[in-house]
Amino acid sequence: MDTLQISLVTLSVLVLLALIFDFMNGFHDAANSIATVVSTGVLKPHHAVVFAAFFNFVALFVFHLKVAATVGKGIIDPTVVDHYVVFGALVGAIAWNIITWYFGIPSSSSHALIGGIVGAGLASAGPSVLMFREILYIVAFIVVSPLLGFVLGGFLMLLVSWLLRRARPLKVDGWFRRLQLLSAGMYSLGHGGNDAQKTIGIIWLLLIAANVPGAHDHVPVWVIISCYAAIALGTMFGGWRIVKTMGQRITKLKPVGGFCAETGGALTLFLAALLGIPVSTTHTITGAIVGVGSSRKFNAVRWGLAGNIVWAWILTIPASALVAAAAWWVGKSIF
């Protein structure tokens, strides 16, 4: 009876920690959904976060759980996962999120979690437990998702500029202030559909490891609802340090540019969710913003700042993995 009580307490603590990570994911990545729509003046900040949070949660009814399945069963061998591994993974991811949020760096919460799982898995059982092919796909999309966002955002900007070349700028601005609500909603939908599922995946992994009845067959409904709710609440509180970086410091945006960046980013996220690949919403929207800026003029983009962001991307998985491995050792002495 004591053992059962301890295991239930431990399970509850780790589920709560996962939901805290999910909340922080929304808080940290709120900039991805609202930076362009706020910086162009289409929505006020407090309206934008509610707008984005709504679509984060609505994604629950749109996307299948392919990304959750990848995180839950496609990074390390599920048979070696225990509460120490999950604890280490979550602490590694949360620590990296806090560090990058503090310095205003738009890093990836998604890859921080993946790095955390890898680091804790390595500390627990060594490299043999890693699913290298699946991890390779995820690492490849570190390059593919911002590149695809860059191409789509830039292409849409060039296409719109050509189609509306004879239209009055004031009229174009008015049109795209309305259209940007559509593109921002699409992007927030993709953000919720991809990022909430990563937390669903790790809680699912934990429930399987704890032999919770029915968890092997499907994800419990309460896990799905609570994860989408947590990321939506995180988005409502917003990550204002990062909004400034994403919205204006990389390149100056107007409503037409914001629409093209958000639409290019949203299409990339929809494709990733369809394929079940956990990509970074941060990488995707940054690539799309850079694509829009460079389509107008190469030096319209602050490439030095963009380069610093890329270095943060490169460091995310190894840094969070290192913290996660240390947290795994600490967890062994706590639980």
Side-chain angles (χ1 to χ4, degrees), residues 41-63:
V42 172
L43 285 176
K44 293 180 179 179
H46 57 282
H47 292 155
V49 291
V50 174
F51 180 85
F54 171 77
F55 283 99
N56 278 176
F57 186 78
V58 167
L60 160 68
F61 306 103
V62 177
F63 296 100

mmCIF file with all atom_site columns, all heavy atoms in Angstrom, residues 41-63:
data_model
loop_
_atom_site.group_PDB
_atom_site.id
_atom_site.type_symbol
_atom_site.label_atom_id
_atom_site.label_alt_id
_atom_site.label_comp_id
_atom_site.label_asym_id
_atom_site.label_entity_id
_atom_site.label_seq_id
_atom_site.pdbx_PDB_ins_code
_atom_site.Cartn_x
_atom_site.Cartn_y
_atom_site.Cartn_z
_atom_site.occupancy
_atom_site.B_iso_or_equiv
_atom_site.pdbx_formal_charge
_atom_site.auth_seq_id
_atom_site.auth_comp_id
_atom_site.auth_asym_id
_atom_site.auth_atom_id
_atom_site.pdbx_PDB_model_num
ATOM 1   N N   . GLY A 1 41 ? 0.358   45.996 -35.726 1.00 0.00 ? 41 GLY A N   1
ATOM 2   C CA  . GLY A 1 41 ? -0.709  46.808 -35.182 1.00 0.00 ? 41 GLY A CA  1
ATOM 3   C C   . GLY A 1 41 ? -2.111  46.311 -35.490 1.00 0.00 ? 41 GLY A C   1
ATOM 4   O O   . GLY A 1 41 ? -3.086  47.017 -35.258 1.00 0.00 ? 41 GLY A O   1
ATOM 5   N N   . VAL A 1 42 ? -2.216  45.081 -36.013 1.00 0.00 ? 42 VAL A N   1
ATOM 6   C CA  . VAL A 1 42 ? -3.527  44.527 -36.346 1.00 0.00 ? 42 VAL A CA  1
ATOM 7   C C   . VAL A 1 42 ? -4.323  44.220 -35.088 1.00 0.00 ? 42 VAL A C   1
ATOM 8   O O   . VAL A 1 42 ? -5.534  44.440 -35.024 1.00 0.00 ? 42 VAL A O   1
ATOM 9   C CB  . VAL A 1 42 ? -3.373  43.271 -37.224 1.00 0.00 ? 42 VAL A CB  1
ATOM 10  C CG1 . VAL A 1 42 ? -4.707  42.563 -37.431 1.00 0.00 ? 42 VAL A CG1 1
ATOM 11  C CG2 . VAL A 1 42 ? -2.776  43.646 -38.570 1.00 0.00 ? 42 VAL A CG2 1
ATOM 12  N N   . LEU A 1 43 ? -3.662  43.703 -34.056 1.00 0.00 ? 43 LEU A N   1
ATOM 13  C CA  . LEU A 1 43 ? -4.324  43.418 -32.786 1.00 0.00 ? 43 LEU A CA  1
ATOM 14  C C   . LEU A 1 43 ? -3.498  43.993 -31.643 1.00 0.00 ? 43 LEU A C   1
ATOM 15  O O   . LEU A 1 43 ? -2.266  44.012 -31.715 1.00 0.00 ? 43 LEU A O   1
ATOM 16  C CB  . LEU A 1 43 ? -4.483  41.907 -32.575 1.00 0.00 ? 43 LEU A CB  1
ATOM 17  C CG  . LEU A 1 43 ? -5.554  41.168 -33.381 1.00 0.00 ? 43 LEU A CG  1
ATOM 18  C CD1 . LEU A 1 43 ? -5.482  39.678 -33.084 1.00 0.00 ? 43 LEU A CD1 1
ATOM 19  C CD2 . LEU A 1 43 ? -6.949  41.704 -33.077 1.00 0.00 ? 43 LEU A CD2 1
ATOM 20  N N   . LYS A 1 44 ? -4.177  44.421 -30.604 1.00 0.00 ? 44 LYS A N   1
ATOM 21  C CA  . LYS A 1 44 ? -3.474  44.823 -29.390 1.00 0.00 ? 44 LYS A CA  1
ATOM 22  C C   . LYS A 1 44 ? -2.975  43.567 -28.678 1.00 0.00 ? 44 LYS A C   1
ATOM 23  O O   . LYS A 1 44 ? -3.587  42.498 -28.797 1.00 0.00 ? 44 LYS A O   1
ATOM 24  C CB  . LYS A 1 44 ? -4.406  45.622 -28.485 1.00 0.00 ? 44 LYS A CB  1
ATOM 25  C CG  . LYS A 1 44 ? -4.805  46.963 -29.083 1.00 0.00 ? 44 LYS A CG  1
ATOM 26  C CD  . LYS A 1 44 ? -5.722  47.738 -28.154 1.00 0.00 ? 44 LYS A CD  1
ATOM 27  C CE  . LYS A 1 44 ? -6.088  49.091 -28.759 1.00 0.00 ? 44 LYS A CE  1
ATOM 28  N NZ  . LYS A 1 44 ? -7.006  49.861 -27.881 1.00 0.00 ? 44 LYS A NZ  1
ATOM 29  N N   . PRO A 1 45 ? -1.894  43.683 -27.919 1.00 0.00 ? 45 PRO A N   1
ATOM 30  C CA  . PRO A 1 45 ? -1.298  42.493 -27.305 1.00 0.00 ? 45 PRO A CA  1
ATOM 31  C C   . PRO A 1 45 ? -2.268  41.642 -26.502 1.00 0.00 ? 45 PRO A C   1
ATOM 32  O O   . PRO A 1 45 ? -2.285  40.419 -26.643 1.00 0.00 ? 45 PRO A O   1
ATOM 33  C CB  . PRO A 1 45 ? -0.193  43.079 -26.415 1.00 0.00 ? 45 PRO A CB  1
ATOM 34  C CG  . PRO A 1 45 ? 0.203   44.339 -27.094 1.00 0.00 ? 45 PRO A CG  1
ATOM 35  C CD  . PRO A 1 45 ? -1.062  44.887 -27.684 1.00 0.00 ? 45 PRO A CD  1
ATOM 36  N N   . HIS A 1 46 ? -3.103  42.254 -25.654 1.00 0.00 ? 46 HIS A N   1
ATOM 37  C CA  . HIS A 1 46 ? -3.983  41.451 -24.803 1.00 0.00 ? 46 HIS A CA  1
ATOM 38  C C   . HIS A 1 46 ? -5.102  40.795 -25.614 1.00 0.00 ? 46 HIS A C   1
ATOM 39  O O   . HIS A 1 46 ? -5.625  39.752 -25.225 1.00 0.00 ? 46 HIS A O   1
ATOM 40  C CB  . HIS A 1 46 ? -4.554  42.294 -23.651 1.00 0.00 ? 46 HIS A CB  1
ATOM 41  C CG  . HIS A 1 46 ? -5.307  43.509 -24.069 1.00 0.00 ? 46 HIS A CG  1
ATOM 42  N ND1 . HIS A 1 46 ? -4.673  44.659 -24.480 1.00 0.00 ? 46 HIS A ND1 1
ATOM 43  C CD2 . HIS A 1 46 ? -6.645  43.764 -24.138 1.00 0.00 ? 46 HIS A CD2 1
ATOM 44  C CE1 . HIS A 1 46 ? -5.583  45.582 -24.788 1.00 0.00 ? 46 HIS A CE1 1
ATOM 45  N NE2 . HIS A 1 46 ? -6.783  45.057 -24.597 1.00 0.00 ? 46 HIS A NE2 1
ATOM 46  N N   . HIS A 1 47 ? -5.470  41.391 -26.755 1.00 0.00 ? 47 HIS A N   1
ATOM 47  C CA  . HIS A 1 47 ? -6.434  40.741 -27.649 1.00 0.00 ? 47 HIS A CA  1
ATOM 48  C C   . HIS A 1 47 ? -5.768  39.603 -28.413 1.00 0.00 ? 47 HIS A C   1
ATOM 49  O O   . HIS A 1 47 ? -6.365  38.554 -28.636 1.00 0.00 ? 47 HIS A O   1
ATOM 50  C CB  . HIS A 1 47 ? -7.013  41.759 -28.643 1.00 0.00 ? 47 HIS A CB  1
ATOM 51  C CG  . HIS A 1 47 ? -7.884  42.787 -28.007 1.00 0.00 ? 47 HIS A CG  1
ATOM 52  N ND1 . HIS A 1 47 ? -8.104  44.033 -28.556 1.00 0.00 ? 47 HIS A ND1 1
ATOM 53  C CD2 . HIS A 1 47 ? -8.601  42.765 -26.846 1.00 0.00 ? 47 HIS A CD2 1
ATOM 54  C CE1 . HIS A 1 47 ? -8.915  44.735 -27.781 1.00 0.00 ? 47 HIS A CE1 1
ATOM 55  N NE2 . HIS A 1 47 ? -9.230  43.984 -26.727 1.00 0.00 ? 47 HIS A NE2 1
ATOM 56  N N   . ALA A 1 48 ? -4.524  39.831 -28.813 1.00 0.00 ? 48 ALA A N   1
ATOM 57  C CA  . ALA A 1 48 ? -3.805  38.842 -29.619 1.00 0.00 ? 48 ALA A CA  1
ATOM 58  C C   . ALA A 1 48 ? -3.572  37.542 -28.856 1.00 0.00 ? 48 ALA A C   1
ATOM 59  O O   . ALA A 1 48 ? -3.700  36.453 -29.424 1.00 0.00 ? 48 ALA A O   1
ATOM 60  C CB  . ALA A 1 48 ? -2.462  39.424 -30.078 1.00 0.00 ? 48 ALA A CB  1
ATOM 61  N N   . VAL A 1 49 ? -3.238  37.637 -27.568 1.00 0.00 ? 49 VAL A N   1
ATOM 62  C CA  . VAL A 1 49 ? -2.950  36.412 -26.818 1.00 0.00 ? 49 VAL A CA  1
ATOM 63  C C   . VAL A 1 49 ? -4.212  35.574 -26.616 1.00 0.00 ? 49 VAL A C   1
ATOM 64  O O   . VAL A 1 49 ? -4.166  34.347 -26.674 1.00 0.00 ? 49 VAL A O   1
ATOM 65  C CB  . VAL A 1 49 ? -2.267  36.715 -25.459 1.00 0.00 ? 49 VAL A CB  1
ATOM 66  C CG1 . VAL A 1 49 ? -0.865  37.243 -25.671 1.00 0.00 ? 49 VAL A CG1 1
ATOM 67  C CG2 . VAL A 1 49 ? -3.083  37.680 -24.612 1.00 0.00 ? 49 VAL A CG2 1
ATOM 68  N N   . VAL A 1 50 ? -5.346  36.238 -26.407 1.00 0.00 ? 50 VAL A N   1
ATOM 69  C CA  . VAL A 1 50 ? -6.611  35.494 -26.269 1.00 0.00 ? 50 VAL A CA  1
ATOM 70  C C   . VAL A 1 50 ? -6.979  34.841 -27.602 1.00 0.00 ? 50 VAL A C   1
ATOM 71  O O   . VAL A 1 50 ? -7.413  33.690 -27.656 1.00 0.00 ? 50 VAL A O   1
ATOM 72  C CB  . VAL A 1 50 ? -7.744  36.423 -25.790 1.00 0.00 ? 50 VAL A CB  1
ATOM 73  C CG1 . VAL A 1 50 ? -9.081  35.692 -25.789 1.00 0.00 ? 50 VAL A CG1 1
ATOM 74  C CG2 . VAL A 1 50 ? -7.437  36.963 -24.397 1.00 0.00 ? 50 VAL A CG2 1
ATOM 75  N N   . PHE A 1 51 ? -6.797  35.577 -28.678 1.00 0.00 ? 51 PHE A N   1
ATOM 76  C CA  . PHE A 1 51 ? -7.062  35.081 -30.025 1.00 0.00 ? 51 PHE A CA  1
ATOM 77  C C   . PHE A 1 51 ? -6.213  33.838 -30.310 1.00 0.00 ? 51 PHE A C   1
ATOM 78  O O   . PHE A 1 51 ? -6.720  32.799 -30.761 1.00 0.00 ? 51 PHE A O   1
ATOM 79  C CB  . PHE A 1 51 ? -6.735  36.197 -31.026 1.00 0.00 ? 51 PHE A CB  1
ATOM 80  C CG  . PHE A 1 51 ? -6.961  35.850 -32.469 1.00 0.00 ? 51 PHE A CG  1
ATOM 81  C CD1 . PHE A 1 51 ? -8.212  35.984 -33.041 1.00 0.00 ? 51 PHE A CD1 1
ATOM 82  C CD2 . PHE A 1 51 ? -5.905  35.428 -33.254 1.00 0.00 ? 51 PHE A CD2 1
ATOM 83  C CE1 . PHE A 1 51 ? -8.416  35.683 -34.391 1.00 0.00 ? 51 PHE A CE1 1
ATOM 84  C CE2 . PHE A 1 51 ? -6.093  35.126 -34.599 1.00 0.00 ? 51 PHE A CE2 1
ATOM 85  C CZ  . PHE A 1 51 ? -7.358  35.256 -35.167 1.00 0.00 ? 51 PHE A CZ  1
ATOM 86  N N   . ALA A 1 52 ? -4.904  33.924 -30.022 1.00 0.00 ? 52 ALA A N   1
ATOM 87  C CA  . ALA A 1 52 ? -3.997  32.803 -30.280 1.00 0.00 ? 52 ALA A CA  1
ATOM 88  C C   . ALA A 1 52 ? -4.312  31.615 -29.377 1.00 0.00 ? 52 ALA A C   1
ATOM 89  O O   . ALA A 1 52 ? -4.280  30.458 -29.814 1.00 0.00 ? 52 ALA A O   1
ATOM 90  C CB  . ALA A 1 52 ? -2.549  33.250 -30.079 1.00 0.00 ? 52 ALA A CB  1
ATOM 91  N N   . ALA A 1 53 ? -4.614  31.892 -28.104 1.00 0.00 ? 53 ALA A N   1
ATOM 92  C CA  . ALA A 1 53 ? -4.917  30.814 -27.161 1.00 0.00 ? 53 ALA A CA  1
ATOM 93  C C   . ALA A 1 53 ? -6.155  30.035 -27.589 1.00 0.00 ? 53 ALA A C   1
ATOM 94  O O   . ALA A 1 53 ? -6.204  28.806 -27.466 1.00 0.00 ? 53 ALA A O   1
ATOM 95  C CB  . ALA A 1 53 ? -5.111  31.383 -25.756 1.00 0.00 ? 53 ALA A CB  1
ATOM 96  N N   . PHE A 1 54 ? -7.151  30.731 -28.100 1.00 0.00 ? 54 PHE A N   1
ATOM 97  C CA  . PHE A 1 54 ? -8.371  30.070 -28.577 1.00 0.00 ? 54 PHE A CA  1
ATOM 98  C C   . PHE A 1 54 ? -8.042  29.054 -29.670 1.00 0.00 ? 54 PHE A C   1
ATOM 99  O O   . PHE A 1 54 ? -8.485  27.902 -29.623 1.00 0.00 ? 54 PHE A O   1
ATOM 100 C CB  . PHE A 1 54 ? -9.360  31.110 -29.095 1.00 0.00 ? 54 PHE A CB  1
ATOM 101 C CG  . PHE A 1 54 ? -10.554 30.512 -29.793 1.00 0.00 ? 54 PHE A CG  1
ATOM 102 C CD1 . PHE A 1 54 ? -11.590 29.946 -29.066 1.00 0.00 ? 54 PHE A CD1 1
ATOM 103 C CD2 . PHE A 1 54 ? -10.638 30.510 -31.178 1.00 0.00 ? 54 PHE A CD2 1
ATOM 104 C CE1 . PHE A 1 54 ? -12.698 29.381 -29.705 1.00 0.00 ? 54 PHE A CE1 1
ATOM 105 C CE2 . PHE A 1 54 ? -11.731 29.962 -31.828 1.00 0.00 ? 54 PHE A CE2 1
ATOM 106 C CZ  . PHE A 1 54 ? -12.766 29.393 -31.087 1.00 0.00 ? 54 PHE A CZ  1
ATOM 107 N N   . PHE A 1 55 ? -7.242  29.460 -30.639 1.00 0.00 ? 55 PHE A N   1
ATOM 108 C CA  . PHE A 1 55 ? -6.906  28.557 -31.743 1.00 0.00 ? 55 PHE A CA  1
ATOM 109 C C   . PHE A 1 55 ? -5.934  27.459 -31.299 1.00 0.00 ? 55 PHE A C   1
ATOM 110 O O   . PHE A 1 55 ? -5.944  26.358 -31.857 1.00 0.00 ? 55 PHE A O   1
ATOM 111 C CB  . PHE A 1 55 ? -6.358  29.342 -32.926 1.00 0.00 ? 55 PHE A CB  1
ATOM 112 C CG  . PHE A 1 55 ? -7.428  30.046 -33.714 1.00 0.00 ? 55 PHE A CG  1
ATOM 113 C CD1 . PHE A 1 55 ? -7.673  31.394 -33.519 1.00 0.00 ? 55 PHE A CD1 1
ATOM 114 C CD2 . PHE A 1 55 ? -8.214  29.346 -34.615 1.00 0.00 ? 55 PHE A CD2 1
ATOM 115 C CE1 . PHE A 1 55 ? -8.675  32.039 -34.227 1.00 0.00 ? 55 PHE A CE1 1
ATOM 116 C CE2 . PHE A 1 55 ? -9.220  29.982 -35.330 1.00 0.00 ? 55 PHE A CE2 1
ATOM 117 C CZ  . PHE A 1 55 ? -9.459  31.331 -35.136 1.00 0.00 ? 55 PHE A CZ  1
ATOM 118 N N   . ASN A 1 56 ? -5.089  27.744 -30.314 1.00 0.00 ? 56 ASN A N   1
ATOM 119 C CA  . ASN A 1 56 ? -4.249  26.688 -29.726 1.00 0.00 ? 56 ASN A CA  1
ATOM 120 C C   . ASN A 1 56 ? -5.109  25.542 -29.224 1.00 0.00 ? 56 ASN A C   1
ATOM 121 O O   . ASN A 1 56 ? -4.801  24.366 -29.431 1.00 0.00 ? 56 ASN A O   1
ATOM 122 C CB  . ASN A 1 56 ? -3.429  27.242 -28.557 1.00 0.00 ? 56 ASN A CB  1
ATOM 123 C CG  . ASN A 1 56 ? -2.171  27.962 -28.974 1.00 0.00 ? 56 ASN A CG  1
ATOM 124 O OD1 . ASN A 1 56 ? -1.460  28.509 -28.136 1.00 0.00 ? 56 ASN A OD1 1
ATOM 125 N ND2 . ASN A 1 56 ? -1.861  28.000 -30.259 1.00 0.00 ? 56 ASN A ND2 1
ATOM 126 N N   . PHE A 1 57 ? -6.191  25.893 -28.526 1.00 0.00 ? 57 PHE A N   1
ATOM 127 C CA  . PHE A 1 57 ? -7.054  24.861 -27.943 1.00 0.00 ? 57 PHE A CA  1
ATOM 128 C C   . PHE A 1 57 ? -7.928  24.184 -28.999 1.00 0.00 ? 57 PHE A C   1
ATOM 129 O O   . PHE A 1 57 ? -8.138  22.970 -28.957 1.00 0.00 ? 57 PHE A O   1
ATOM 130 C CB  . PHE A 1 57 ? -7.941  25.466 -26.847 1.00 0.00 ? 57 PHE A CB  1
ATOM 131 C CG  . PHE A 1 57 ? -8.742  24.438 -26.098 1.00 0.00 ? 57 PHE A CG  1
ATOM 132 C CD1 . PHE A 1 57 ? -8.149  23.652 -25.127 1.00 0.00 ? 57 PHE A CD1 1
ATOM 133 C CD2 . PHE A 1 57 ? -10.087 24.235 -26.385 1.00 0.00 ? 57 PHE A CD2 1
ATOM 134 C CE1 . PHE A 1 57 ? -8.876  22.680 -24.447 1.00 0.00 ? 57 PHE A CE1 1
ATOM 135 C CE2 . PHE A 1 57 ? -10.822 23.274 -25.705 1.00 0.00 ? 57 PHE A CE2 1
ATOM 136 C CZ  . PHE A 1 57 ? -10.219 22.493 -24.736 1.00 0.00 ? 57 PHE A CZ  1
ATOM 137 N N   . VAL A 1 58 ? -8.429  24.958 -29.963 1.00 0.00 ? 58 VAL A N   1
ATOM 138 C CA  . VAL A 1 58 ? -9.290  24.404 -31.011 1.00 0.00 ? 58 VAL A CA  1
ATOM 139 C C   . VAL A 1 58 ? -8.559  23.347 -31.836 1.00 0.00 ? 58 VAL A C   1
ATOM 140 O O   . VAL A 1 58 ? -9.183  22.448 -32.403 1.00 0.00 ? 58 VAL A O   1
ATOM 141 C CB  . VAL A 1 58 ? -9.826  25.552 -31.910 1.00 0.00 ? 58 VAL A CB  1
ATOM 142 C CG1 . VAL A 1 58 ? -10.470 25.020 -33.191 1.00 0.00 ? 58 VAL A CG1 1
ATOM 143 C CG2 . VAL A 1 58 ? -10.834 26.384 -31.139 1.00 0.00 ? 58 VAL A CG2 1
ATOM 144 N N   . ALA A 1 59 ? -7.229  23.425 -31.883 1.00 0.00 ? 59 ALA A N   1
ATOM 145 C CA  . ALA A 1 59 ? -6.439  22.431 -32.622 1.00 0.00 ? 59 ALA A CA  1
ATOM 146 C C   . ALA A 1 59 ? -6.713  21.009 -32.118 1.00 0.00 ? 59 ALA A C   1
ATOM 147 O O   . ALA A 1 59 ? -6.500  20.033 -32.846 1.00 0.00 ? 59 ALA A O   1
ATOM 148 C CB  . ALA A 1 59 ? -4.952  22.750 -32.491 1.00 0.00 ? 59 ALA A CB  1
ATOM 149 N N   . LEU A 1 60 ? -7.195  20.895 -30.885 1.00 0.00 ? 60 LEU A N   1
ATOM 150 C CA  . LEU A 1 60 ? -7.594  19.608 -30.309 1.00 0.00 ? 60 LEU A CA  1
ATOM 151 C C   . LEU A 1 60 ? -8.554  18.853 -31.222 1.00 0.00 ? 60 LEU A C   1
ATOM 152 O O   . LEU A 1 60 ? -8.503  17.622 -31.328 1.00 0.00 ? 60 LEU A O   1
ATOM 153 C CB  . LEU A 1 60 ? -8.240  19.881 -28.946 1.00 0.00 ? 60 LEU A CB  1
ATOM 154 C CG  . LEU A 1 60 ? -9.145  18.827 -28.310 1.00 0.00 ? 60 LEU A CG  1
ATOM 155 C CD1 . LEU A 1 60 ? -8.325  17.615 -27.915 1.00 0.00 ? 60 LEU A CD1 1
ATOM 156 C CD2 . LEU A 1 60 ? -9.852  19.405 -27.100 1.00 0.00 ? 60 LEU A CD2 1
ATOM 157 N N   . PHE A 1 61 ? -9.419  19.578 -31.911 1.00 0.00 ? 61 PHE A N   1
ATOM 158 C CA  . PHE A 1 61 ? -10.455 18.965 -32.740 1.00 0.00 ? 61 PHE A CA  1
ATOM 159 C C   . PHE A 1 61 ? -10.045 18.815 -34.204 1.00 0.00 ? 61 PHE A C   1
ATOM 160 O O   . PHE A 1 61 ? -10.822 18.326 -35.018 1.00 0.00 ? 61 PHE A O   1
ATOM 161 C CB  . PHE A 1 61 ? -11.747 19.797 -32.661 1.00 0.00 ? 61 PHE A CB  1
ATOM 162 C CG  . PHE A 1 61 ? -12.220 20.040 -31.268 1.00 0.00 ? 61 PHE A CG  1
ATOM 163 C CD1 . PHE A 1 61 ? -12.021 21.268 -30.648 1.00 0.00 ? 61 PHE A CD1 1
ATOM 164 C CD2 . PHE A 1 61 ? -12.848 19.030 -30.546 1.00 0.00 ? 61 PHE A CD2 1
ATOM 165 C CE1 . PHE A 1 61 ? -12.449 21.499 -29.347 1.00 0.00 ? 61 PHE A CE1 1
ATOM 166 C CE2 . PHE A 1 61 ? -13.286 19.242 -29.238 1.00 0.00 ? 61 PHE A CE2 1
ATOM 167 C CZ  . PHE A 1 61 ? -13.084 20.476 -28.649 1.00 0.00 ? 61 PHE A CZ  1
ATOM 168 N N   . VAL A 1 62 ? -8.821  19.236 -34.537 1.00 0.00 ? 62 VAL A N   1
ATOM 169 C CA  . VAL A 1 62 ? -8.399  19.271 -35.941 1.00 0.00 ? 62 VAL A CA  1
ATOM 170 C C   . VAL A 1 62 ? -7.360  18.209 -36.276 1.00 0.00 ? 62 VAL A C   1
ATOM 171 O O   . VAL A 1 62 ? -7.457  17.536 -37.304 1.00 0.00 ? 62 VAL A O   1
ATOM 172 C CB  . VAL A 1 62 ? -7.860  20.677 -36.304 1.00 0.00 ? 62 VAL A CB  1
ATOM 173 C CG1 . VAL A 1 62 ? -7.345  20.707 -37.742 1.00 0.00 ? 62 VAL A CG1 1
ATOM 174 C CG2 . VAL A 1 62 ? -8.929  21.742 -36.092 1.00 0.00 ? 62 VAL A CG2 1
ATOM 175 N N   . PHE A 1 63 ? -6.359  18.041 -35.401 1.00 0.00 ? 63 PHE A N   1
ATOM 176 C CA  . PHE A 1 63 ? -5.209  17.207 -35.744 1.00 0.00 ? 63 PHE A CA  1
ATOM 177 C C   . PHE A 1 63 ? -5.248  15.842 -35.053 1.00 0.00 ? 63 PHE A C   1
ATOM 178 O O   . PHE A 1 63 ? -5.658  15.733 -33.896 1.00 0.00 ? 63 PHE A O   1
ATOM 179 C CB  . PHE A 1 63 ? -3.905  17.916 -35.358 1.00 0.00 ? 63 PHE A CB  1
ATOM 180 C CG  . PHE A 1 63 ? -3.674  19.190 -36.125 1.00 0.00 ? 63 PHE A CG  1
ATOM 181 C CD1 . PHE A 1 63 ? -3.969  20.425 -35.559 1.00 0.00 ? 63 PHE A CD1 1
ATOM 182 C CD2 . PHE A 1 63 ? -3.175  19.155 -37.417 1.00 0.00 ? 63 PHE A CD2 1
ATOM 183 C CE1 . PHE A 1 63 ? -3.757  21.601 -36.260 1.00 0.00 ? 63 PHE A CE1 1
ATOM 184 C CE2 . PHE A 1 63 ? -2.964  20.323 -38.132 1.00 0.00 ? 63 PHE A CE2 1
ATOM 185 C CZ  . PHE A 1 63 ? -3.258  21.548 -37.551 1.00 0.00 ? 63 PHE A CZ  1
#
